[in-house]
Amino acid sequence: MDKRTFIKTASVLTGGLILQDMIACNSSEKSPTQNEQLSNWAGNLKYSTTNVHYPQTVEETAGIVKKCDKLRALGSQHAFNAIADSKENLVSLKNMNKIVALDKTANTVTVEAGVRYGDIAPYLDENGYALANLASLPHITVVGACATATHGSGVQNGNLSTSVAAIEFINAAGDVITLSKQKDGERFNGAVVNLGALGVVTKITLDVIPTFKMKQLVYLNMPVNELKNNFDKIENEGYSVSLFTDWKNKNINEVWIKSRFAGNDNATAKPELFSAKLATKNVHPIETESAENVTDQMGVPGPWYERMPHFKMGFKPSAGKELQAEYFVPIENAYDAIMAVEKLNERISPHLFITEIRAIHADELWMSPCYKQTSVTIHFTWKQETEAVMNLLPQIEAQLMPFNVKPHWAKLFTLSPQVLQSRYAKLADFKALVAEYDPKGKFRNEFLTKNLFS
Ligand SMILES: Cc1cc2nc3c(=O)[nH]c(=O)nc-3n(C[C@H](O)[C@H](O)[C@H](O)COP(=O)(O)OP(=O)(O)OC[C@H]3O[C@@H](n4cnc5c(N)ncnc54)[C@H](O)[C@@H]3O)c2cc1C
């Protein structure tokens, strides 16, 4: 019997799963036809292996980790770069998607690694709880988002990883490790934004707060020079503030202000905000996209999880076929950094859907771009014109170089590894942590080798 016939016959006999494990982790016997080739959400990246494991339990995950020499974990595949990629084996925990516990004494919720923010938010709300912040979309896994320091907005709000209270992961030896904020101090701070390098996270515990209602207002067309003296005031207009610009006409096209709604709050919205006019209908950040996809605006109160993300669960987030890049600079440099990018406006605009500017509070997480630094992010949602975008990124990075620029871990960038590494004061400690949990580099892929270890 040749190998192909054996695989076919054995799949029928065994139901495939056990066989898949046997093949996938034995590098001399890989079967490229075993699974279809997966792409990331935007479709700009095809993962480099078809060996994808779908465990149902922690024990099964540990078994896969033990068997594989090389392995990377996948979340909901929203990263735009190859951070999650592997040439050898991928493991997706999408079948491990249960809410494990809501601890009303500790004020935490524990979920399995396949759970997305959109899955837990309504459950938390029904039980009287909320998360302190959310990203622009609820479609991403909690674990994948926290691994890359995914953020929402709000000068007083840390990134989403700052809500993590504990993690459980399988290290390279196949042991189950748990670390918590309460008992593991600095080690925990090193492990939360882990870039998938410490092991396969199987559970994550988040801090929860009492549920609250929110409303959002949008103001249209703010001259960019209003940011010069009023940036802090604008950022403090709400709980979470986003500025959208297409870099045309020195104009901020839309200012989204998300505020907590007290219930007895009958205040009418001011008609103008630093020369921008209150919108009179729901708007999408990208002019050509339908406002059906965005969460309700116009000051209509609603649950926190239906106001904090820009995009509704169950609807298309953003533009779909797109690329994204995003850069962090210290908040003190916000206006200068924006004006430095503005110099490239004529080159940027033709390839851009929209730019979003947000603020994120400083944190203590070693590999977070906001480690000890409250920051502003300048984000670009690009048309899927890869060559043009990859030519523009070094130009934008050069403009932002005087501001200690750091890229988003999960988006496109071209910053050199040397510069990137120099931006992370705790990189050596993080590498020591990686060496402890993964001494032989089982979870190291090309992205990590290039950017952290070269
Ligand atoms: C339309 C759109 C909007 C976005 N909006 C925002 C935004 O508002 N703010 C923002 O900061 N980012 C945003 N992003 C980026 C997104 O938050 C990140 O790409 C995030 O990492 C995606 O999580 P994921 O579950 O898709 O993880 P993946 O992309 O699948 O993986 C990301 C990383 O997490 C690791 N990982 C995933 N699961 C595990 C696990 N079980 N164990 C160990 N490691 C794991 C992977 O190995 C990889 O390193 C957006 C992306 C898109 C496509």
Side-chain angles (χ1 to χ4, degrees):
M1 195 188 293
D2 72 8
K3 199 167 118 192
R4 252 172 216 282
T5 321
F6 168 74
I7 290 167
K8 236 173 147 183
T9 317
S11 288
V12 173
L13 294 175
T14 63
L17 186 67
I18 299 165
L19 183 68
Q20 181 185 314
D21 289 353
M22 277 166 49
I23 293 165
C25 291
N26 181 338
S27 54
S28 63
E29 275 195 89
K30 271 187 216 139
S31 162
T33 54
Q34 191 66 31
N35 291 298
E36 63 173 308
Q37 189 171 20
L38 296 179
S39 304
N40 66 343
W41 172 84
N44 66 303
L45 177 98
K46 282 202 184 331
Y47 297 104
S48 312
T49 179
T50 53
N51 293 330
V52 191
H53 304 260
Y54 295 97
Q56 310 269 351
T57 63
V58 173
E59 293 69 35
E60 244 183 73
T61 312
I64 291 163
V65 170
K66 272 190 201 157
K67 278 191 220 160
C68 293
D69 292 335
K70 297 289 269 180
L71 179 70
R72 288 291 286 173
L74 277 183
S76 52
Q77 301 161 225
H78 282 75
F80 287 86
N81 61 30
I83 190 168
D85 198 19
S86 170
K87 285 195 163 35
E88 294 84 7
N89 295 285
L90 291 166
V91 59
S92 162
L93 277 62
K94 70 175 186 186
N95 296 325
M96 293 167 62
N97 55 5
K98 287 194 249 349
I99 296 169
V100 179
L102 175 62
D103 183 333
K104 295 188 174 182
T105 310
N107 290 323
T108 58
V109 64
T110 300
V111 298
E112 291 183 332
V115 166
R116 300 167 304 162
Y117 282 97
D119 303 324
I120 43 166
Y123 165 83
L124 287 176
D125 189 53
E126 275 163 30
N127 283 280
Y129 291 98
L131 297 170
N133 210 355
L134 290 171
S136 69
L137 77 175
H139 309 60
I140 49 179
T141 66
V142 177
V143 167
C146 293
T148 60
T150 290
H151 60 91
S153 190
V155 262
Q156 302 305 330
N157 301 323
N159 66 41
L160 305 190
S161 323
T162 60
S163 286
V164 179
I167 53 171
E168 174 191 280
F169 63 96
I170 314 286
N171 70 6
D175 304 323
V176 179
I177 309 290
T178 52
L179 296 177
S180 76
K181 198 186 296 190
Q182 228 175 20
K183 67 174 173 55
D184 295 297
E186 273 300 280
R187 174 177 291 267
F188 176 77
N189 285 339
V192 177
V193 180
N194 54 57
L195 314 176
L198 301 183
V200 180
V201 177
T202 42
K203 288 193 195 80
I204 192 159
T205 301
L206 300 177
D207 291 325
V208 292
I209 56 178
T211 191
F212 56 98
K213 289 218 178 318
M214 293 189 90
K215 59 178 187 177
Q216 60 182 336
L217 294 171
V218 175
Y219 289 86
L220 304 175
N221 299 318
M222 178 184 284
V224 79
N225 62 18
E226 290 284 0
L227 303 183
K228 184 168 187 178
N229 298 318
N230 303 314
F231 189 80
D232 288 348
K233 284 182 222 148
I234 295 164
E235 288 300 327
N236 281 295
E237 275 288 321
Y239 184 82
S240 165
V241 174
S242 290
L243 313 177
F244 291 97
T245 178
D246 55 11
W247 303 102
K248 289 179 189 157
N249 310 318
K250 294 200 162 65
N251 186 43
I252 302 292
N253 309 32
E254 298 175 14
V255 180
W256 289 35
I257 298 182
K258 300 167 193 261
S259 311
R260 278 172 171 253
F261 180 76
N264 53 357
D265 169 3
N266 292 322
T268 45
K270 47 187 168 192
E272 232 182 76
L273 179 75
F274 299 107
S275 312
K277 304 277 185 298
L278 186 65
T280 51
K281 57 179 189 212
N282 282 356
V283 291
H284 194 287
I286 303 168
E287 216 181 353
T288 49
E289 294 290 326
S290 164
E292 261 216 332
N293 300 340
V294 300
T295 49
D296 261 345
Q297 304 160 12
M298 310 281 292
V300 178
W304 54 278
Y305 66 91
E306 289 181 355
R307 294 295 177 275
M308 248 178 317
H310 305 328
F311 306 109
K312 285 191 234 167
M313 191 75 179
F315 287 73
K316 180 180 73 167
S318 199
K321 203 163 185 262
E322 65 188 54
L323 300 172
Q324 292 189 10
E326 187 168 35
Y327 297 102
F328 294 72
V329 295
I331 194 158
E332 301 75 32
N333 301 127
Y335 181 72
D336 292 341
I338 292 165
M339 293 320 285
V341 175
E342 157 68 24
K343 292 202 176 103
L344 301 175
N345 69 332
E346 284 180 10
R347 289 184 224 174
I348 290 172
S349 285
H351 307 290
L352 187 80
F353 282 122
I354 202 69
T355 273
E356 181 176 10
I357 297 165
R358 289 179 277 186
I360 304 108
H361 197 69
D363 61 53
E364 296 295 324
L365 306 173
W366 296 358
M367 297 307 284
S368 160
C370 297
Y371 178 70
K372 294 194 187 293
Q373 175 64 64
T374 297
S375 304
V376 158
T377 52
I378 306 176
H379 161 94
F380 302 84
T381 302
W382 301 104
K383 296 174 187 165
Q384 219 167 69
E385 297 168 359
T386 307
E387 201 184 328
V389 170
M390 295 315 283
N391 276 332
L392 272 166
L393 295 187
Q395 300 175 49
I396 294 170
E397 290 163 6
Q399 288 299 106
L400 294 174
M401 209 55 87
F403 310 111
N404 211 29
V405 60
K406 291 175 209 159
H408 192 301
W409 285 116
K411 301 185 183 180
L412 300 174
F413 61 89
T414 63
L415 212 68
S416 78
Q418 290 80 349
V419 174
L420 183 64
Q421 290 165 25
S422 72
R423 300 284 194 250
Y424 283 87
K426 298 293 276 185
L427 180 63
D429 296 305
F430 181 68
K431 285 183 179 175
L433 206 59
V434 173
E436 205 178 306
Y437 291 117
D438 181 20
K440 293 192 184 145
K442 184 176 279 196
F443 304 113
R444 201 174 300 175
N445 61 1
E446 268 188 24
F447 179 95
L448 294 183
T449 301
K450 176 181 168 196
N451 289 301
L452 298 192
F453 293 91
S454 64

